[in-house]
Amino acid sequence: MAVAKTIKSKAWYAALFFAFCFFALLGFELWEDGADERENYYVDQLLSNPPQNLNIKAITRLQEVLKGKDAFRFAVLGDNRYNFGQLKKVLTAAAKDKPDFIIHTGDSTSSSKYHQYMKLLASIEGFDIPMIFILGNHDVNNRGVTCFLHIFGPSNFCFDINSYRFIFTDNALENTDPEFARLPDDGHKTYSADRGIDNGKMRDLEKLLQGSAHNFIIMHLPPPVEPFRFHSFDKNGEHFVTLMQRYSSRISRVLCGHIHGYGDVESNGVRYVVTGGAGAHLVSTKEGITSKYNYVMVSVTGETVTHTVHFVD
């Protein structure tokens, strides 16, 4: 009898355990469904209003202020993700240097959610400095691209300040092989998502470089040059480096984020700068990478371009 009771007791607890797991899983799925519905609702509400085009407004403003001036300064920072408190610290420190404008190199959210974009906008409110944003790989999930385009404007764009051209290239979106696989013959091939610049954009980029003697290239992921190769973009990465080398006399700086720290290297006559220290968890110490929160201040005077890094506690 004791053995039978023990078996029944174990069976009872097992049934309770499985019932708990079932309802917990069901509850989690219902919660996820509800969260997705709420996300879609808020994004749809955002889209029901006119586009904010904050990048376009910032560019229009700074072009008016800097028209005819042969000297200007701008700050570059990126990769705050979830840490909006640190972002405000970095922005506050940069604002004290009185830049004419600020460039954010991407990953301004952690998972591309509507409420994260709203926190971003709240974080930059009160800074009376034109700010220009580009997409990062953490900004393109869910409906993040939709939010970005509505709030900031196009993700690939360029503008000129006097004789200097600023080219913003979105290289954060993942793409799989665009061709149809012919099965079973192509079944042995390996396919992986990669990030980078497609062939059409590479051609457009070269045309833009040919049209200006002084070019700043801004993108989220750095190209495959040391010491950034371990965390660089794949698609047309080597092609991009070759293109930069070909037009090295026209490249003022290549400015990137993605790596959470600071790095600066000259390769084949081109200066590559990574500033990804605006709040996200800092990368482990690596050769050529300083693992500190930071922003970079770029100064332009006539034909001369210099930059300095500023570390922020």
Side-chain angles (χ1 to χ4, degrees):
M1 290 291 292
V3 173
K5 285 183 178 180
T6 300
I7 293 173
K8 287 182 179 180
S9 177
K10 288 182 177 179
W12 171 250
Y13 284 122
L16 281 177
F17 174 76
F18 285 113
F20 171 79
C21 291
F22 171 78
F23 285 110
L25 181 60
L26 179 63
F28 178 75
E29 289 181 347
L30 290 173
W31 180 85
E32 273 199 327
D33 290 343
D36 288 342
E37 287 182 7
R38 288 191 296 274
E39 178 73 7
N40 285 328
Y41 170 79
Y42 287 124
V43 174
D44 289 341
Q45 288 295 109
L46 174 69
L47 299 180
S48 68
N49 295 307
Q52 297 181 40
N53 288 325
L54 297 186
N55 280 351
I56 298 171
K57 292 174 181 176
I59 292 165
T60 301
R61 177 182 167 192
L62 68 92
Q63 283 182 326
E64 291 174 353
V65 172
L66 297 177
K67 186 176 181 180
K69 293 185 178 180
D70 64 353
F72 58 90
R73 287 156 37 93
F74 61 95
V76 191
L77 52 91
D79 293 81
N80 55 274
R81 286 168 58 175
Y82 47 81
N83 194 343
F84 295 102
Q86 185 63 37
L87 172 63
K88 291 190 74 170
K89 286 184 181 179
V90 175
L91 286 173
T92 299
K96 291 179 181 177
D97 282 338
K98 301 188 184 306
D100 294 294
F101 59 99
I102 294 175
I103 290 174
H104 193 297
T105 58
D107 277 3
S108 54
T109 69
S110 56
S111 57
S112 322
K113 297 283 190 175
Y114 166 84
H115 74 273
Q116 294 166 1
Y117 276 103
M118 294 303 103
K119 285 184 178 179
L120 171 66
L121 295 180
S123 298
I124 66 176
E125 189 176 5
F127 289 96
D128 189 27
I129 303 171
M131 297 187 192
I132 305 164
F133 290 76
I134 194 170
L135 279 169
N137 59 293
H138 280 268
D139 304 321
V140 301
N141 302 311
N142 301 301
R143 297 182 69 184
V145 175
T146 299
C147 290
F148 181 93
L149 297 178
H150 194 82
I151 294 170
F152 295 108
S155 59
N156 293 285
F157 57 96
C158 69
F159 62 89
D160 295 338
I161 297 179
N162 304 322
S163 64
Y164 284 85
R165 175 162 291 171
F166 291 76
I167 304 171
F168 289 70
T169 303
D170 170 21
N171 66 353
L173 287 170
E174 290 186 352
N175 297 289
T176 54
D177 194 299
E179 297 180 357
F180 283 94
R182 187 178 295 276
L183 299 180
D185 295 343
D186 291 341
H188 64 282
K189 292 184 178 180
T190 58
Y191 297 93
S192 61
D194 58 8
R195 296 185 177 96
I197 308 172
D198 63 32
N199 294 332
K201 279 203 293 186
M202 287 297 298
R203 290 190 293 269
D204 292 342
L205 175 58
E206 184 166 12
K207 290 178 182 177
L208 288 171
L209 295 176
Q210 292 170 346
S212 176
H214 308 290
N215 296 277
F216 287 101
I217 314 295
I218 299 95
M219 55 180 62
H220 180 63
L221 284 81
V225 296
E226 297 298 345
F228 311 137
R229 186 179 294 273
F230 77 101
H231 216 30
S232 60
F233 66 88
D234 306 302
K235 191 176 184 66
N236 277 324
E238 298 294 345
H239 184 185
F240 176 85
V241 173
T242 301
L243 184 67
M244 294 299 101
Q245 181 179 351
R246 188 185 310 151
Y247 290 92
S248 59
S249 63
R250 295 172 177 259
I251 308 300
S252 299
R253 293 289 188 279
V254 177
L255 303 167
C256 310
H258 194 54
I259 298 174
H260 301 165
Y262 169 75
D264 174 16
V265 65
E266 184 171 324
S267 176
N268 293 313
V270 179
R271 200 74 176 266
Y272 298 90
V273 178
V274 161
T275 170
H281 184 72
L282 294 168
V283 70
S284 300
T285 301
K286 293 181 180 293
E287 186 176 354
I289 306 294
T290 302
S291 184
K292 293 182 178 181
Y293 295 127
N294 70 88
Y295 66 93
V296 169
M297 186 66 67
V298 181
S299 298
V300 177
T301 303
E303 301 284 315
T304 304
V305 176
T306 59
H307 76 268
T308 54
V309 61
H310 301 257
F311 298 113
V312 181
D313 294 330

